[in-house]
Amino acid sequence: MKRIKVGIGGNGTIRIKLKKKKRNNEHAGTSEMRGDSPAFPAPHASFSAGQRISLSYPIISQMEIRVESVFRPKETDVEVVYALTGYGTSVDQLHKFTSNEVVAHATSKMISCTAAKMIEHIRSERIEIPDLIVHIHSHPLGAPSLSDVDKQTMPTVAAQMRAIIPDATILFGVHAIGSEERRARIPPERVSQNTVRWSSITRVHEVAFFDEYAKPIEVRID
């Protein structure tokens, strides 16, 4: 039985805490992280009609650097949040959110962030306001799938962002990261309609994309 605690403060800060029984394979990562056949999306999964995003190889390289940059020797990896922005269906910039204005607290199981501050940083870093925003958080040693807490909070986050940029398309991503192990680099490839996978020399990366209602979003690598 999962225990979920969700709190939304008056300033828009979203705090998520998830407690669950430990599965036998959690310490080693999921089947996706071990290189088995991808388990997501399920054959019956419905896709958001007409929506997709395009990622370039340089953007994927920045995504890799962002999540691996939180590594600390002899410390557990923590969740990170970042955003991709662009126009139409194409992503052309990554936003790191390394300020405590955006991220109040982070552990290996949860992260507390403020959607309004994320938008402030995005608007400050871009000359023109983007109409595509992709909110991404990581799952250290996890799977690129949405938790129940993710599904509950995504509509709220999207609404808070859209209150500031009304015409923006708001999407979400889960960036799963495998355990550290020396390995051969594998270039990015699309392993399902909404998921890309690659490997750095130390970590397997797998990112899945969704709309705010948890429907998978088609992704392409350009």
Side-chain angles (χ1 to χ4, degrees):
M1 177 70 69
K2 295 181 180 179
R3 295 176 58 197
I4 300 171
K5 184 178 180 181
V6 180
I8 302 176
N11 63 354
T13 299
I14 298 173
R15 292 180 173 86
I16 302 171
K17 190 170 185 180
L18 174 62
K19 294 182 179 179
K20 60 183 180 179
K21 293 181 179 179
K22 196 168 185 177
R23 296 193 299 260
N24 292 334
N25 67 342
E26 281 188 345
H27 65 91
T30 63
S31 61
E32 290 89 328
M33 294 296 98
R34 294 195 304 270
D36 298 339
S37 299
F40 188 87
H44 61 275
S46 60
F47 277 71
S48 186
Q51 288 191 321
R52 65 178 178 85
I53 61 171
S54 298
L55 304 177
S56 66
Y57 288 98
I59 286 291
I60 292 175
S61 178
Q62 291 179 46
M63 293 164 65
E64 173 186 310
I65 294 169
R66 176 67 187 104
V67 296
E68 291 194 3
S69 67
V70 299
F71 167 77
R72 299 293 181 271
K74 299 180 181 179
E75 293 183 13
T76 304
D77 291 347
V78 299
E79 289 195 8
V80 299
V81 64
Y82 63 92
L84 306 174
T85 61
Y87 302 93
T89 62
S90 296
V91 169
D92 62 13
Q93 188 166 339
L94 182 145
H95 306 268
K96 297 179 181 179
F97 303 136
T98 54
S99 168
N100 58 18
E101 285 185 336
V102 177
V103 179
H105 184 64
T107 71
S108 62
K109 298 289 185 183
M110 58 85 68
I111 189 164
S112 300
C113 55
T114 306
K117 289 295 183 181
M118 293 174 70
I119 295 299
E120 285 185 20
H121 279 242
I122 288 171
R123 294 182 69 174
S124 297
E125 291 175 350
R126 298 207 62 126
I127 297 175
E128 297 183 358
I129 297 174
D131 60 18
L132 172 64
I133 300 172
V134 188
H135 176 295
I136 300 178
H137 72 281
S138 65
H139 280 182
L141 300 182
S145 56
L146 297 170
S147 68
D148 291 339
V149 176
D150 294 333
K151 294 175 184 178
Q152 291 174 13
T153 58
M154 288 187 328
T156 301
V157 173
Q160 291 174 348
M161 290 183 166
R162 222 175 266 118
I164 302 172
I165 306 181
D167 298 327
T169 297
I170 310 295
L171 303 177
F172 294 83
V174 180
H175 189 151
I177 316 153
S179 59
E180 183 182 15
E181 180 183 341
R182 192 69 180 214
R183 63 184 76 235
R185 175 172 286 279
I186 300 173
E189 63 175 338
R190 193 172 75 159
V191 294
S192 72
Q193 279 190 284
N194 76 317
T195 308
V196 294
R197 179 197 289 166
W198 72 96
S199 177
S200 70
I201 62 171
T202 56
R203 308 267 182 158
V204 174
H205 294 255
E206 195 164 3
V207 189
F209 297 90
F210 308 87
D211 69 9
E212 64 193 272
Y213 304 110
K215 289 186 178 180
I217 294 293
E218 182 182 359
V219 60
R220 297 182 182 179
I221 303 173
D222 293 332

